[in-house]
Amino acid sequence: MIALVQAGALSGAQSGITAAAPLVLLTSACLFAIGVTGLLLRRNPMAVLMSIELMLNAGNLLLVLGARVNGRIDGHAAALLVLVVSAAEAVVGLALALVLFRDRPDADVDSRGEVAG
Amino acid sequence: MDGRLLPLSIGCAAAVLSALGVALARRPMHGALFLLLHSLSIAALFLCLSADFVAMGQVTVYSGAIVVLFLFVVLLLPDGGRERRAGPQRFVVALVGGAVTFVAMFAAMYVAIRSGAEPAADDSMFAVAALARTLFGAQLIPFELTGVLLLVAIVGGVSLWHRQGAERKR
């Protein structure tokens, strides 16, 4: 981790944004890892969906950072598309969660569901 | 840009802490509120990275629509959607999975940083007009396809709920 910050500091000597880039990269990796942890840890479909949203946000952050560092606006357009995809995913996921929760008060994503069909 | 390093650091800290809250909150209501905080801090990070339009989209679409949708569903849940406590084995598996992911991403990013960062761009090239030229030019087809995706998601969500309701009545 120290080496990463040092590498950022070295390249940051030439330009401003690259000094901040390692920090944002580290944040993005942390967010994605937290999302994976939550995905594996939680049984509640709502919490699982929120963890997936965390991972999508981490990817979005990385896209925007890449656009800033490389000076290409395509990253912003891709981030907007990811935003739409996460909205669509939330709609379908929440409908599935509601169906799971309808019969049992404590829904568990690992138990056998009755959603199929 | 140097003036933005402090807000950037605060935004990063807020994003990580609220993400921990989302992953660990016992009640879904608290998780959804942490998700709201998380999306707002991500929007602040976008602003610091001079992605103004994406930040606005994040606030409108994410904080405004998705998080509110989550809150609605949490309110609809019986008992606020309680959850059985995770056993120690599950906890270990989750922590190992998270750690492995972190190490893998960290290694990839370390390589990316070591390979030398390119010169930073100036803010002027990230104007909304440039973004529009990309969205309606080079990326027109993906952009239009998101409309189809949203329609499919809406129809899927409604039919999922509808079919289950119909089967229940029988």
Side-chain angles (χ1 to χ4, degrees), chain B residues 106-164:
Chain B
F106 190 77
M109 288 171 182
Y110 183 77
V111 172
I113 284 282
R114 293 299 289 195
S115 66
E118 290 180 32
D122 55 338
D123 287 354
S124 61
M125 71 170 302
F126 293 116
V128 179
L131 182 59
R133 267 194 290 279
T134 309
L135 267 184
F136 294 104
Q139 304 204 12
L140 180 64
I141 293 178
F143 178 69
E144 295 292 339
L145 281 179
T146 56
V148 181
L149 177 71
L150 279 176
L151 184 67
V152 169
I154 292 170
V155 172
V158 170
S159 71
L160 203 59
W161 183 248
H162 231 69
R163 178 157 20 156
Q164 293 282 324

